[in-house]
Amino acid sequence: MAANPPVVVTGASGLIAKYTIAEFLRRGFAVRGTLRSMDKADEVRRALAKLGCDPEKVSFIVADLSGDGGWDEAVAGSEIVVHTASPFPIAQPNDPEEVIRPAVDGTLRVLRAATRGAVGRVVLTSSTVAIFYPSDVPKGHVYSEADVTDETRRDLTPYIKSKTIAEKAAWDFIESEPGAPALVVINPSFVQGPALDGDLSTSHELYRVMARGVYPAVPRISFPVADVRDVAAAHVKGALTPEAEGNRYLIGEGQMSLYGLGRIVARELPDLASKVPKFELPDFAVRALATVDKRMRTVLPELGEQKAYSNENAKKGLGLDLRPADEAATAAIRSLRELKLI
Ligand code: NDP
């Protein structure tokens, strides 16, 4: 084993990955990132420089979730692998397998390579969507890491299924495979916080769509929010805290409605006030629309619902101090304006 083995971060071009890599570099680790194309290496280096880090401390290896090539090389000699890569489309595909297969098969590829390479710990980026949709919960239920989405529910999007099945496959693998690494799972909610460049994460894309005036009205849906800086800190603490092994950590602070996000855009950028949603659609109207517009069906399980949840595990177990939803959303909007993207 090398004296200072690099931490491996898969999907190095992603928003969460860039912040996570920067956090490891600040702590003195070298990082090896995987990319599905080397074309994005310079973009990642620029983002790291913007975050005040030395981009020379990162190396890259090409590996795609859909193929076996590169994964053994990527994890070789490493003790910690952070697996963030997963398809995260803004529009759901017609064939759910387009999202589910790379997410699940890719997670297993990373875990198998980590087992062959005697990696000590894998930190997996799952999502609160793998928590928030069990088959049966009482009204007023407070969601936590004890909850697991039932992927057989018929009202789930391909993305929700992909994250749920991938996380379950990871836990099953760890339990059944001799010599498998320890697993820590981070379950972030809707990620906000500062964008770094024009390669926008799906969660930032939403603002660009909103700023075009595409949504005069929005359904009554809310979601917990996490700041990407806290999500990155969660991954690093998940990697380095001995007691984190075998745990999931729900990351989120506060709630935000789609309409509320638009109000923050209008507050921060008054020139866009006329573009953001003017009102919330009544639930009955959304249900009626969903009978003719397939895209609307994906919001039906959320209509009018605010999910109560606990983030105590992350705060106590990982010692995280989470930024509130308004601060995270405001930082996202200001960064997008600075980048001239909205
Ligand atoms: P990004 O879209 O910025 O990052 C996704 C990353 O996955 C990119 O690096 C992308 O590579 C990579 N990827 C996608 N498909 C493949 C593939 N077939 N092979 C290899 N790499 C692939 O989004 P985030 O940073 O937000 O997402 C990172 C992780 O966080 C994902 O697992 C996502 O599900 C999870 N997450 C995100 C939340 C959010 O609100 N943003 C909330 C909860 C969880 P490329 O650049 O080449 O496309």
Side-chain angles (χ1 to χ4, degrees):
M1 185 71 61
N4 287 308
V7 171
V8 175
V9 179
T10 72
S13 53
L15 177 73
I16 293 174
K18 286 170 186 158
Y19 276 93
T20 302
I21 292 171
E23 193 75 26
F24 276 115
L25 294 179
R26 283 188 205 110
R27 289 169 179 253
F29 290 90
V31 174
R32 192 186 293 146
T34 73
L35 296 168
R36 53 179 158 172
S37 153
M38 213 42 113
D39 292 351
K40 287 203 173 176
D42 280 341
E43 169 201 298
V44 180
R45 290 192 190 100
R46 280 192 295 274
L48 294 171
K50 190 170 172 178
L51 290 169
C53 299
D54 178 1
E56 296 308 314
K57 295 275 189 296
V58 188
S59 59
F60 297 102
I61 283 192
V62 172
D64 193 298
L65 296 173
S66 301
D68 290 328
W71 293 110
D72 283 325
E73 200 190 335
V75 306
S78 184
E79 286 169 6
I80 298 169
V81 172
V82 179
H83 178 43
T84 78
S86 205
F88 187 21
I90 192 155
Q92 299 296 318
N94 284 330
D95 177 6
E97 292 300 315
E98 273 178 39
V99 184
I100 295 171
R101 284 278 53 94
V104 179
D105 295 349
T107 298
L108 290 172
R109 284 192 167 96
V110 169
L111 286 168
R112 284 193 205 105
T115 306
R116 287 191 291 269
V119 168
R121 183 178 289 200
V122 171
V123 180
L124 170 70
T125 317
S126 183
S127 168
T128 46
V129 300
I131 289 180
F132 282 157
Y133 308 94
S135 41
D136 212 2
V137 286
K139 258 214 152 356
H141 180 67
V142 178
Y143 289 86
S144 72
E145 292 85 354
D147 294 300
V148 180
T149 291
D150 173 4
E151 75 276 13
T152 65
R153 268 176 60 162
R154 295 174 62 84
D155 57 351
L156 303 181
T157 63
Y159 175 70
I160 295 177
K161 288 185 184 180
S162 77
K163 297 304 288 181
T164 304
I165 301 172
E167 188 190 328
K168 283 185 178 173
W171 287 118
D172 287 348
F173 181 91
I174 296 302
E175 265 190 27
S176 61
E177 191 69 18
L183 183 65
V184 177
V185 172
I186 305 296
N187 301 83
S189 48
F190 188 50
V191 172
Q192 300 284 301
L196 292 167
D197 49 42
D199 187 13
L200 292 185
S201 156
T202 292
S203 38
H204 282 131
E205 275 293 350
L206 178 66
Y207 290 107
R208 203 144 60 163
V209 179
M210 239 185 214
R212 278 192 222 119
V214 175
Y215 301 129
V218 280
R220 257 175 11 104
I221 56 172
S222 301
F223 27 79
V225 171
D227 190 296
V228 65
R229 294 164 287 188
D230 298 332
V231 174
H235 282 80
V236 175
K237 293 202 170 179
L240 304 179
T241 307
E243 300 76 25
E245 275 192 27
N247 286 313
R248 310 168 87 194
Y249 294 97
L250 189 166
I251 313 294
E253 185 66 280
Q255 307 263 354
M256 190 63 72
S257 66
L258 264 184
Y259 178 72
L261 281 185
R263 297 328 307 154
I264 301 179
V265 173
R267 183 189 76 202
E268 293 298 314
L269 307 173
D271 57 300
L272 292 180
S274 65
K275 302 279 190 194
V276 298
K278 312 279 179 313
F279 60 92
E280 291 183 305
L281 287 165
D283 297 348
F284 73 83
V286 178
R287 287 203 182 88
L289 277 172
T291 60
V292 287
D293 185 342
K294 189 169 96 168
R295 287 168 308 171
M296 279 289 183
R297 282 177 214 155
T298 62
V299 304
L300 292 182
E302 314 291 342
L303 268 191
E305 215 203 314
Q306 252 207 16
K307 288 186 164 65
Y309 65 94
S310 167
N311 55 16
E312 281 308 297
N313 219 16
K315 284 183 171 170
K316 288 206 183 106
L318 299 181
L320 291 171
D321 191 14
L322 301 169
R323 292 168 177 83
D326 191 298
E327 184 182 332
T330 303
I333 293 160
R334 289 182 183 165
S335 70
L336 293 170
R337 176 50 61 92
E338 266 170 39
L339 290 163
K340 300 188 171 50
L341 295 171
I342 57 172

